[in-house]
Amino acid sequence: MSFDLFFTNLLYGLTIGSALILIASSLSIIFGVMGLVNFAHGSLSMLGAYLGYSLILWKMNFWVALAISPLIVGGIALAIEGFTLRPLYSKDPLLQFFLTYGLAMIIGNLVLYFWGADPHGIDKPLSLQGPVSIAGIFYPKFRLFVFLFSAVLSIVLWLFIARTTWGIILRAGIHNRELVGAFGINMSTVYTLVFALGSALAAIAGVILGAMRNINPAMDLDLVVGGLIAVVIGGLGSFRGAVLGALIIGLSESFGAQLWPGFSKFTVYIVMVA
């Protein structure tokens, strides 16, 4: 493998992993704080992508869609958590899984009803179209933007978790929810905010991936499976582990497609098993 090919695959793998970081890290935080395996996470990301697509059709630009779509999905997540998940916190965790699976089915069917089964693409901003030269290699500007944007957003999220009061509460809640509640902190409010924040981050990833690839009614399963694999690799409830797991998946998919064409997804599962 030549250096140019190696470097191109490295960049592409980091780009895939960077986009997946937003899904995996938010999924990991939701599990760590709430103890919830949210099977609807990929569907909320897909919904964010379709909402972004519709906003652009309504003569709004990519940046407006990237800002408004997560807010809408975050608002929907607030309603989902308050009216459906909250009554189940004291019950069998399996009921929460079945509920989120049902929500994923509902969202998937709503997407089919309103947008149809045909794939669509989210228009990239003109400033991010075309290639850019990196070390003598031409690489799409938008993919480079995805890598840098996801890296910056991940750093901001890490600083929020590590340096703010709410971040301390989140980390404490991951380790001992009962003790946090004993200090007078309303864990119900924490759960609501965590679920809304995680869903909004998933929607951001949906818009970005929709512009980098395309959007279709089957993308939700790929997103939630990829996020779950990253979380398993990195460790359940670990933000840094989710970031590392997402990057490992991106690199294994990129180099797997080059070394074993047609088996790129298979290499991801090999990494997870290992």
Side-chain angles (χ1 to χ4, degrees), residues 69-85:
S69 177
L71 294 178
I72 298 174
V73 172
I76 293 172
L78 286 175
I80 289 175
E81 193 278 337
F83 291 104
T84 64
L85 281 171

PDB file of all heavy atoms in Angstrom, residues 69-85:
ATOM      1  N   SER A  69     -32.303  21.742  13.419  1.00  0.00           N
ATOM      2  CA  SER A  69     -32.711  20.333  13.487  1.00  0.00           C
ATOM      3  C   SER A  69     -32.432  19.703  14.858  1.00  0.00           C
ATOM      4  O   SER A  69     -33.316  19.044  15.427  1.00  0.00           O
ATOM      5  CB  SER A  69     -32.021  19.539  12.374  1.00  0.00           C
ATOM      6  OG  SER A  69     -32.341  18.164  12.466  1.00  0.00           O
ATOM      7  N   PRO A  70     -31.237  19.881  15.451  1.00  0.00           N
ATOM      8  CA  PRO A  70     -31.003  19.308  16.788  1.00  0.00           C
ATOM      9  C   PRO A  70     -31.922  19.898  17.859  1.00  0.00           C
ATOM     10  O   PRO A  70     -32.282  19.194  18.808  1.00  0.00           O
ATOM     11  CB  PRO A  70     -29.539  19.663  17.063  1.00  0.00           C
ATOM     12  CG  PRO A  70     -28.938  19.884  15.725  1.00  0.00           C
ATOM     13  CD  PRO A  70     -30.020  20.483  14.890  1.00  0.00           C
ATOM     14  N   LEU A  71     -32.292  21.176  17.707  1.00  0.00           N
ATOM     15  CA  LEU A  71     -33.198  21.784  18.686  1.00  0.00           C
ATOM     16  C   LEU A  71     -34.576  21.136  18.625  1.00  0.00           C
ATOM     17  O   LEU A  71     -35.201  20.875  19.660  1.00  0.00           O
ATOM     18  CB  LEU A  71     -33.310  23.292  18.423  1.00  0.00           C
ATOM     19  CG  LEU A  71     -32.041  24.123  18.651  1.00  0.00           C
ATOM     20  CD1 LEU A  71     -32.294  25.582  18.300  1.00  0.00           C
ATOM     21  CD2 LEU A  71     -31.573  23.997  20.106  1.00  0.00           C
ATOM     22  N   ILE A  72     -35.047  20.868  17.401  1.00  0.00           N
ATOM     23  CA  ILE A  72     -36.351  20.210  17.243  1.00  0.00           C
ATOM     24  C   ILE A  72     -36.311  18.795  17.822  1.00  0.00           C
ATOM     25  O   ILE A  72     -37.199  18.379  18.565  1.00  0.00           O
ATOM     26  CB  ILE A  72     -36.765  20.181  15.762  1.00  0.00           C
ATOM     27  CG1 ILE A  72     -36.930  21.610  15.225  1.00  0.00           C
ATOM     28  CG2 ILE A  72     -38.073  19.403  15.589  1.00  0.00           C
ATOM     29  CD1 ILE A  72     -37.205  21.673  13.738  1.00  0.00           C
ATOM     30  N   VAL A  73     -35.263  18.054  17.462  1.00  0.00           N
ATOM     31  CA  VAL A  73     -35.142  16.679  17.954  1.00  0.00           C
ATOM     32  C   VAL A  73     -34.977  16.672  19.475  1.00  0.00           C
ATOM     33  O   VAL A  73     -35.539  15.816  20.166  1.00  0.00           O
ATOM     34  CB  VAL A  73     -33.960  15.962  17.276  1.00  0.00           C
ATOM     35  CG1 VAL A  73     -33.699  14.598  17.915  1.00  0.00           C
ATOM     36  CG2 VAL A  73     -34.226  15.790  15.789  1.00  0.00           C
ATOM     37  N   GLY A  74     -34.217  17.633  20.005  1.00  0.00           N
ATOM     38  CA  GLY A  74     -34.067  17.731  21.458  1.00  0.00           C
ATOM     39  C   GLY A  74     -35.402  17.991  22.139  1.00  0.00           C
ATOM     40  O   GLY A  74     -35.696  17.424  23.203  1.00  0.00           O
ATOM     41  N   GLY A  75     -36.250  18.837  21.522  1.00  0.00           N
ATOM     42  CA  GLY A  75     -37.585  19.084  22.068  1.00  0.00           C
ATOM     43  C   GLY A  75     -38.453  17.843  22.033  1.00  0.00           C
ATOM     44  O   GLY A  75     -39.198  17.556  22.983  1.00  0.00           O
ATOM     45  N   ILE A  76     -38.372  17.098  20.930  1.00  0.00           N
ATOM     46  CA  ILE A  76     -39.115  15.835  20.828  1.00  0.00           C
ATOM     47  C   ILE A  76     -38.627  14.857  21.901  1.00  0.00           C
ATOM     48  O   ILE A  76     -39.433  14.145  22.519  1.00  0.00           O
ATOM     49  CB  ILE A  76     -38.948  15.233  19.422  1.00  0.00           C
ATOM     50  CG1 ILE A  76     -39.628  16.127  18.378  1.00  0.00           C
ATOM     51  CG2 ILE A  76     -39.523  13.821  19.357  1.00  0.00           C
ATOM     52  CD1 ILE A  76     -39.363  15.718  16.941  1.00  0.00           C
ATOM     53  N   ALA A  77     -37.317  14.831  22.124  1.00  0.00           N
ATOM     54  CA  ALA A  77     -36.749  13.936  23.141  1.00  0.00           C
ATOM     55  C   ALA A  77     -37.244  14.299  24.540  1.00  0.00           C
ATOM     56  O   ALA A  77     -37.466  13.409  25.374  1.00  0.00           O
ATOM     57  CB  ALA A  77     -35.228  13.984  23.085  1.00  0.00           C
ATOM     58  N   LEU A  78     -37.422  15.594  24.804  1.00  0.00           N
ATOM     59  CA  LEU A  78     -37.971  16.007  26.105  1.00  0.00           C
ATOM     60  C   LEU A  78     -39.355  15.407  26.326  1.00  0.00           C
ATOM     61  O   LEU A  78     -39.668  14.910  27.414  1.00  0.00           O
ATOM     62  CB  LEU A  78     -38.057  17.540  26.167  1.00  0.00           C
ATOM     63  CG  LEU A  78     -36.749  18.314  26.337  1.00  0.00           C
ATOM     64  CD1 LEU A  78     -37.016  19.806  26.257  1.00  0.00           C
ATOM     65  CD2 LEU A  78     -36.076  17.976  27.660  1.00  0.00           C
ATOM     66  N   ALA A  79     -40.178  15.448  25.271  1.00  0.00           N
ATOM     67  CA  ALA A  79     -41.526  14.886  25.382  1.00  0.00           C
ATOM     68  C   ALA A  79     -41.477  13.367  25.529  1.00  0.00           C
ATOM     69  O   ALA A  79     -42.221  12.781  26.337  1.00  0.00           O
ATOM     70  CB  ALA A  79     -42.349  15.279  24.146  1.00  0.00           C
ATOM     71  N   ILE A  80     -40.592  12.721  24.773  1.00  0.00           N
ATOM     72  CA  ILE A  80     -40.464  11.253  24.859  1.00  0.00           C
ATOM     73  C   ILE A  80     -40.064  10.837  26.261  1.00  0.00           C
ATOM     74  O   ILE A  80     -40.649   9.911  26.844  1.00  0.00           O
ATOM     75  CB  ILE A  80     -39.438  10.750  23.824  1.00  0.00           C
ATOM     76  CG1 ILE A  80     -39.999  10.863  22.406  1.00  0.00           C
ATOM     77  CG2 ILE A  80     -39.049   9.297  24.122  1.00  0.00           C
ATOM     78  CD1 ILE A  80     -39.002  10.499  21.326  1.00  0.00           C
ATOM     79  N   GLU A  81     -39.081  11.523  26.833  1.00  0.00           N
ATOM     80  CA  GLU A  81     -38.597  11.147  28.165  1.00  0.00           C
ATOM     81  C   GLU A  81     -39.672  11.398  29.218  1.00  0.00           C
ATOM     82  O   GLU A  81     -39.904  10.562  30.094  1.00  0.00           O
ATOM     83  CB  GLU A  81     -37.334  11.953  28.499  1.00  0.00           C
ATOM     84  CG  GLU A  81     -36.561  11.449  29.703  1.00  0.00           C
ATOM     85  CD  GLU A  81     -37.121  11.933  31.021  1.00  0.00           C
ATOM     86  OE1 GLU A  81     -37.819  12.992  31.026  1.00  0.00           O
ATOM     87  OE2 GLU A  81     -36.891  11.277  32.055  1.00  0.00           O
ATOM     88  N   GLY A  82     -40.355  12.539  29.102  1.00  0.00           N
ATOM     89  CA  GLY A  82     -41.324  12.894  30.129  1.00  0.00           C
ATOM     90  C   GLY A  82     -42.575  12.036  30.124  1.00  0.00           C
ATOM     91  O   GLY A  82     -43.105  11.690  31.188  1.00  0.00           O
ATOM     92  N   PHE A  83     -43.046  11.662  28.942  1.00  0.00           N
ATOM     93  CA  PHE A  83     -44.337  10.974  28.851  1.00  0.00           C
ATOM     94  C   PHE A  83     -44.230   9.454  28.704  1.00  0.00           C
ATOM     95  O   PHE A  83     -45.210   8.749  28.934  1.00  0.00           O
ATOM     96  CB  PHE A  83     -45.140  11.536  27.669  1.00  0.00           C
ATOM     97  CG  PHE A  83     -45.611  12.943  27.879  1.00  0.00           C
ATOM     98  CD1 PHE A  83     -44.983  13.996  27.242  1.00  0.00           C
ATOM     99  CD2 PHE A  83     -46.671  13.222  28.730  1.00  0.00           C
ATOM    100  CE1 PHE A  83     -45.402  15.306  27.434  1.00  0.00           C
ATOM    101  CE2 PHE A  83     -47.106  14.521  28.940  1.00  0.00           C
ATOM    102  CZ  PHE A  83     -46.466  15.570  28.290  1.00  0.00           C
ATOM    103  N   THR A  84     -43.063   8.962  28.310  1.00  0.00           N
ATOM    104  CA  THR A  84     -42.967   7.515  28.075  1.00  0.00           C
ATOM    105  C   THR A  84     -41.906   6.838  28.934  1.00  0.00           C
ATOM    106  O   THR A  84     -42.156   5.792  29.536  1.00  0.00           O
ATOM    107  CB  THR A  84     -42.679   7.216  26.589  1.00  0.00           C
ATOM    108  OG1 THR A  84     -41.388   7.741  26.228  1.00  0.00           O
ATOM    109  CG2 THR A  84     -43.737   7.830  25.687  1.00  0.00           C
ATOM    110  N   LEU A  85     -40.708   7.412  29.007  1.00  0.00           N
ATOM    111  CA  LEU A  85     -39.625   6.759  29.738  1.00  0.00           C
ATOM    112  C   LEU A  85     -39.731   6.931  31.249  1.00  0.00           C
ATOM    113  O   LEU A  85     -39.476   6.000  32.010  1.00  0.00           O
ATOM    114  CB  LEU A  85     -38.271   7.302  29.261  1.00  0.00           C
ATOM    115  CG  LEU A  85     -37.733   6.750  27.945  1.00  0.00           C
ATOM    116  CD1 LEU A  85     -36.512   7.534  27.501  1.00  0.00           C
ATOM    117  CD2 LEU A  85     -37.380   5.272  28.089  1.00  0.00           C
TER     118      LEU A  85
END
